[in-house]
Amino acid sequence: MKASETTLRNLLEGGKQFQIPLFQRPYSWKKDNWETLWEDLMSLYNDEVQDFYFLGPIVTQATLGTADGVSLFFVIDGQQRLTTLTIILAALRNHLKEINSQIADELYELYLINKFKKDNDFYKVLPTQDDREIYKSIIQNKQDIGIERGGKIFEAYQFFYDRLRNPDIDGEISFDYAKFKIILLERLMLVNITSDDKDNPYLIFESLNNKGQELTQADLVRNYIFMQLPPDRQEDLYREEWLPLQEQFKNNACQKGYVEQLTNAFWFHLRKDGKSINQKEVYKKIKEQFDKSEIGVQHELKSLIKSAKYYQRFNFKNQENIPKLNCYFQRFLRLDFTTCQIFLLNVYQEFEQKKLSLEDFEKILQYLESYFVRRWLAGVPTRSLGNVFNKLYNQVKANNPHDLVSGLREVLLSFTGNQVWSDDDSFRHGIINQAVYTKTSNDRVKLFLERIEESLSGKELVNFQNLSIEHIMPQNLTEDWQIMLEENYDSIHKKWLHTLGNLTLTGYNSELSNRSFEEKLSQIGNFSNITLNKYYLQKQVEIWNEEAIKNRAEYLANIAVKVWSR
């Protein structure tokens, strides 16, 4: 690496381009940064500072150019100040167009553009893709209708343009723009540190940027991958593959949450082949995978993006176009059963490659739903599920390489201990005895009751959105309820209140509240279109006590073992 002091004039003169690489963040300086820089410039203008003013380093990497192209330099460090300085030059040029066109043209042709080049080579500084179009419009002073006039780059331009129009210089009738131009070009001192094309720019970037705002795992993955790609493929692959994926995640997850979701998608991709990986090591492991790849960086990237697209279908509404599959994916989200997606990445690929029929895919999803619901209600701890689904695809293929459906069932049935696929007896026992209703599991319990309702009502679909969970025996016992439950009412209430036998679906939740059983029965049994609630009339239930709750739980259990069969 070579270091030398230089001025902005020397840095920008000649057929050069300083390109901000993909691994850099978009322009992020704020008003306090701009104000500090402007005050420094005014100190020079007012001769409060003599000679040169040191602005800091610009670290670049020289890359091989073409005979008819520009000398290209990647900006590894210092992109914020370099971009800001050219924005000031553009603001000065645009302000001077009508005052002093000669200086305006000089600034434009010598320090902002490469006059005889075309396309991207036309610009002395080329920001990252996120900032590029607005920056180009500022340099060319174009008010393009299709370009959104916003973002930090535009805000910076507006800030300096306003300062140049109204410089607020004490004791002066007019501002000396020629003097200000000389200050910008000749009195700001930079240290230009240049590495050659044999150095790894990303390793330099990492060593220079181990302070400040921490890069996310997704940032690190993107940065590393694109620095491993051939320079002539970086732009196309970013625009065609990475950027659309990133925008899809932004649109489907909240702005702040999309990075976490994208990182999770990468994590699941790494685990789908049987590896147990800590989420904090996503970048490290992807780096290792790409470094050791036998298929090449571009193929690894396409594989990673494919997994991320499958992940979107599993996790975001309206991303899966096949209604039956989407129904299962949404159920798994409501159950908080996302670890199975590690296994499903492989399954979906087989389905997309026509190796698996839709019918077989549905059967696999049925088994997975049964596996989770049975374990949940049987009270089996979930901590082992990550390890189960890391290895499951390889186990299934080893067990039955030609039949994924049968192979999955056989492997799940073979599990014991904390990995067990709970049997009918354990499942029944949990349905009858487990207190399942909590604030955090509310929707999971509602889904259980919805699935029971669907099995009873057949093709007559109920709008579940308008329904909520109702405790038949209420959460707060009135005197009438205490009399019905008899002398052990307190212990009965504590044991059975939140069990499935005491829970149902209704649209009258707020109206029913703590009413007596007779009043609830008249509403739920007589005026409900929910088949689940016909039970009370069919069984001629007249009293709601411990025995009645257990009887209804057994009724639900008999249905559940068929809905979630093994």
Side-chain angles (χ1 to χ4, degrees):
M1 296 178 71
K2 300 175 182 178
S4 61
E5 291 184 349
T6 188
T7 61
L8 188 60
R9 181 194 296 277
N10 290 335
L11 190 71
L12 295 176
E13 274 185 338
K16 302 173 188 173
Q17 182 180 84
F18 295 90
Q19 190 174 123
I20 315 301
L22 289 165
F23 59 70
Q24 292 276 23
R25 290 180 182 276
Y27 183 76
S28 60
W29 266 21
K30 299 176 182 177
K31 188 176 180 181
D32 56 345
N33 302 109
W34 308 328
E35 286 179 337
T36 299
L37 179 55
W38 180 257
E39 289 168 5
D40 292 341
L41 291 170
M42 288 301 97
S43 295
L44 288 165
Y45 181 88
N46 294 322
D47 298 321
E48 296 169 11
V49 175
Q50 302 298 320
D51 298 322
F52 298 102
Y53 186 84
F54 179 66
L55 263 187
I58 301 286
V59 183
T60 62
Q61 182 191 41
T63 63
L64 292 175
T66 59
D68 59 346
V70 296
S71 297
L72 179 61
F73 297 86
F74 282 128
V75 181
I76 300 171
D77 192 49
Q79 69 123 330
Q80 304 290 337
R81 65 177 65 91
L82 179 59
T83 304
T84 305
L85 291 172
T86 57
I87 288 171
I88 298 173
L89 287 173
L92 180 60
R93 184 281 311 262
N94 293 344
H95 179 63
L96 290 176
K97 284 192 78 172
E98 296 180 3
I99 302 172
N100 191 326
S101 61
Q102 184 178 346
I103 294 179
D105 291 343
E106 177 192 350
L107 290 172
Y108 182 58
E109 294 182 10
L110 295 182
Y111 308 111
L112 293 174
I113 64 166
N114 296 307
K115 185 175 180 180
F116 300 105
K117 302 303 175 184
K118 295 180 179 179
D119 301 323
N120 285 337
D121 287 351
F122 184 71
Y123 302 92
K124 291 281 188 185
V125 172
L126 195 67
T128 59
Q129 279 76 358
D130 286 351
D131 296 328
R132 191 166 292 177
E133 293 308 312
I134 187 65
Y135 181 83
K136 286 180 179 180
S137 74
I138 288 169
I139 298 302
Q140 295 193 58
N141 197 23
K142 287 184 176 180
Q143 301 293 324
D144 291 351
I145 296 173
I147 297 174
E148 184 181 348
R149 311 297 285 183
K152 290 297 178 187
I153 285 214
F154 185 71
E155 288 177 24
Y157 170 77
Q158 208 62 56
F159 174 89
F160 289 109
Y161 187 77
D162 291 343
R163 290 294 187 279
L164 288 165
R165 281 196 307 169
N166 302 290
D168 190 25
I169 302 300
D170 294 335
E172 289 195 17
I173 298 173
S174 62
F175 188 69
D176 188 344
Y177 291 103
K179 178 181 179 180
F180 185 74
K181 181 202 77 169
I182 292 171
I183 288 169
L184 277 175
L185 294 173
E186 298 183 6
R187 292 187 62 191
L188 297 180
M189 184 61 66
L190 302 158
V191 174
N192 184 22
I193 304 170
T194 306
S195 66
D196 62 33
D197 61 346
K198 295 177 183 177
D199 294 322
N200 185 325
Y202 188 59
L203 293 180
I204 300 169
F205 174 78
E206 280 187 318
S207 67
L208 291 168
N209 288 271
N210 58 2
K211 58 188 183 298
Q213 186 177 1
E214 185 179 352
L215 293 171
T216 67
Q217 296 273 339
D219 286 332
L220 291 167
V221 168
R222 178 199 63 223
N223 299 350
Y224 184 76
I225 290 172
F226 278 91
M227 287 315 299
Q228 304 312 303
L229 291 168
D232 61 338
R233 291 291 292 140
Q234 288 182 8
E235 180 78 24
D236 290 342
L237 284 171
Y238 180 84
R239 186 179 63 254
E240 296 166 7
E241 300 283 354
W242 188 275
L243 187 59
L245 179 75
Q246 182 175 290
E247 291 305 308
Q248 287 164 4
F249 270 82
K250 282 184 179 179
N251 292 335
N252 287 301
C254 64
Q255 186 72 17
K256 292 183 178 178
Y258 91 90
V259 173
E260 183 180 338
Q261 289 277 19
L262 192 56
T263 302
N264 211 48
F266 297 160
W267 187 33
F268 283 10
H269 170 80
L270 289 168
R271 296 165 67 189
K272 70 184 178 66
D273 297 322
K275 298 173 185 174
S276 179
I277 292 168
N278 189 304
Q279 191 175 15
K280 293 179 181 178
E281 294 188 321
V282 165
Y283 162 62
K284 177 183 174 183
K285 295 300 180 182
I286 283 184
K287 185 174 181 291
E288 287 177 6
Q289 182 171 306
F290 276 63
D291 286 345
K292 297 175 182 177
S293 174
E294 296 179 357
I295 61 174
V297 174
Q298 293 186 47
H299 285 93
E300 290 286 359
L301 175 60
K302 287 183 182 293
S303 176
L304 180 65
I305 288 175
K306 181 185 285 186
S307 288
K309 287 180 178 178
Y310 294 158
Y311 180 91
Q312 288 189 84
R313 295 179 184 182
F314 303 151
N315 288 280
F316 302 135
K317 286 185 177 180
N318 305 318
Q319 291 301 300
E320 176 51 63
N321 295 324
I322 301 173
K324 290 182 178 180
L325 297 184
N326 187 57
C327 185
Y328 275 104
F329 299 157
Q330 294 306 309
R331 275 188 211 149
F332 291 170
L333 291 178
R334 291 178 65 188
L335 290 167
D336 194 22
F337 180 36
T338 55
T339 46
C340 67
Q341 294 171 8
I342 300 164
F343 172 71
L344 288 177
L345 290 174
N346 292 301
V347 177
Y348 207 108
Q349 180 167 291
E350 290 207 13
F351 173 66
E352 200 171 60
Q353 293 172 345
K354 310 295 184 186
K355 296 178 182 178
L356 187 73
S357 68
L358 177 59
E359 184 181 357
D360 284 345
F361 199 168
E362 286 183 70
K363 195 67 182 173
I364 286 170
L365 295 171
Q366 287 174 22
Y367 287 150
L368 293 177
E369 185 181 332
S370 170
Y371 179 70
F372 183 84
V373 171
R374 282 173 171 257
R375 288 168 53 86
W376 160 47
L377 290 168
V380 183
T382 60
R383 59 180 175 270
S384 64
L385 287 181
N387 194 44
V388 167
F389 286 102
N390 289 343
K391 300 176 180 178
L392 186 58
Y393 184 75
N394 288 341
Q395 288 177 301
V396 170
K397 296 301 280 187
N399 180 71
N400 194 333
H402 305 297
D403 189 342
L404 199 60
V405 177
S406 297
L408 174 61
R409 183 171 183 271
E410 290 160 8
V411 170
L412 292 180
L413 286 171
S414 72
F415 286 157
T416 58
N418 282 343
Q419 297 184 347
V420 69
W421 188 4
S422 304
D423 60 21
D424 287 356
D425 289 342
S426 300
F427 191 32
R428 286 176 185 276
H429 184 269
I431 291 171
I432 295 168
N433 295 284
Q434 283 269 23
V436 294
Y437 181 90
T438 65
K439 287 183 179 180
T440 56
S441 67
N442 186 331
D443 196 46
R444 190 185 282 183
V445 173
K446 185 169 183 272
L447 178 61
F448 175 91
L449 295 171
E450 288 174 8
R451 295 283 282 126
I452 297 292
E453 173 63 23
E454 286 172 346
S455 73
L456 293 171
S457 59
K459 294 182 179 179
E460 185 181 343
L461 297 178
V462 175
N463 183 2
F464 293 116
Q465 277 191 327
N466 299 325
L467 301 181
S468 58
I469 297 173
E470 171 67 17
H471 289 75
I472 307 299
M473 175 178 60
Q475 299 194 57
N476 297 304
L477 293 180
T478 62
E479 187 176 346
D480 287 343
W481 274 102
Q482 291 176 9
I483 292 169
M484 179 172 281
L485 295 172
E486 299 180 337
E487 60 181 283
N488 294 324
Y489 67 83
D490 191 49
S491 61
I492 293 171
H493 187 253
K494 286 180 180 178
K495 182 176 180 180
W496 299 101
L497 175 65
H498 296 313
T499 61
L500 285 163
N502 189 51
L503 303 174
T504 194
L505 295 173
T506 177
Y508 306 108
N509 184 274
S510 60
E511 299 171 30
L512 296 174
S513 189
N514 296 330
R515 291 188 181 182
S516 67
F517 179 63
E518 290 80 8
E519 290 175 296
K520 288 192 174 189
L521 189 60
S522 66
Q523 285 277 55
I524 293 173
N526 294 330
F527 298 103
S528 175
N529 65 337
I530 303 169
T531 308
L532 183 64
N533 292 334
K534 305 298 182 187
Y535 168 86
Y536 308 102
L537 295 177
Q538 292 169 354
K539 302 295 183 180
Q540 298 181 338
V541 181
E542 297 179 354
I543 189 169
W544 197 251
N545 56 15
E546 183 173 20
E547 183 181 357
I549 294 171
K550 289 174 67 176
N551 288 340
R552 182 167 176 273
E554 289 171 0
Y555 165 77
L556 295 176
N558 289 335
I559 301 169
V561 293
K562 297 174 183 176
V563 172
W564 292 282
S565 59
R566 293 204 305 168

